[in-house]
Amino acid sequence: MYLEAVRRYPVKSMLGEELTESEVTERGLAGDRARAVLDVATGKIASAKNPRLWRGLLTIEGTGVPGDEELSTLLGREVRLIDVPPEGAEFERSVPERVLAEGIEAEVPHTVGTLGGASPAGTFFG
């Protein structure tokens, strides 16, 4: 097996970084998805898996995230960058086939996922 690149995503659903080395635990790369964006209005974790609301996340470098006010402006919603998930934190995942069929702006059905706890590697938002 040949490993071409190792990428880490410090903030869930934002752009990542290429690494030359990293500690790896049973939960993944150290520092991968160590932070996430919380939608203040809904209490849910922002996820690019719901592209109608959160596609803007994919334009932001996870290694140089702006402050909450600027981030809220960029995303068009009041958000906070967090490093500890709230109890029972959830995110929405649009049904991919419906997004492809109806377009990124369409309101399509979604499933709700629940986030796990922190890992020794610091991965909170897998």
Side-chain angles (χ1 to χ4, degrees), residues 7-11 14-19 31 35 60-66 81:
R7 296 196 56 83
R8 172 175 56 194
Y9 300 86
V11 180
M14 287 187 186
L15 299 175
E17 61 187 337
E18 192 164 312
L19 303 174
R35 299 188 295 166
I60 302 169
E61 295 286 338
T63 56
V65 182
L81 190 64

Side-chain angles (χ1 to χ4, degrees), residues 32-113:
D32 190 55
R33 293 171 183 84
R35 299 188 295 166
V37 174
L38 177 71
D39 182 340
V40 172
T42 66
K44 291 185 178 168
I45 300 301
S47 173
K49 292 178 181 175
N50 185 341
R52 185 178 62 81
L53 291 178
W54 301 114
R55 70 180 171 272
L57 289 170
L58 297 172
T59 66
I60 302 169
E61 295 286 338
T63 56
V65 182
D68 290 347
E69 189 174 322
E70 185 179 349
L71 190 57
S72 294
T73 299
L74 288 169
L75 296 173
R77 300 174 71 88
E78 184 180 359
V79 297
R80 285 191 355 235
L81 190 64
I82 60 173
D83 58 4
V84 176
E87 183 78 25
E90 297 179 334
F91 65 94
E92 294 177 351
R93 179 183 183 273
S94 297
V95 176
E97 295 81 7
R98 294 287 295 271
V99 173
L100 290 172
E102 298 177 34
I104 201 165
E105 292 294 332
E107 289 197 39
V108 299
H110 63 269
T111 59
V112 176

Side-chain angles (χ1 to χ4, degrees), residues 13-26:
S13 293
M14 287 187 186
L15 299 175
E17 61 187 337
E18 192 164 312
L19 303 174
T20 57
E21 62 182 51
S22 178
E23 177 185 352
V24 180
T25 72
E26 67 278 355

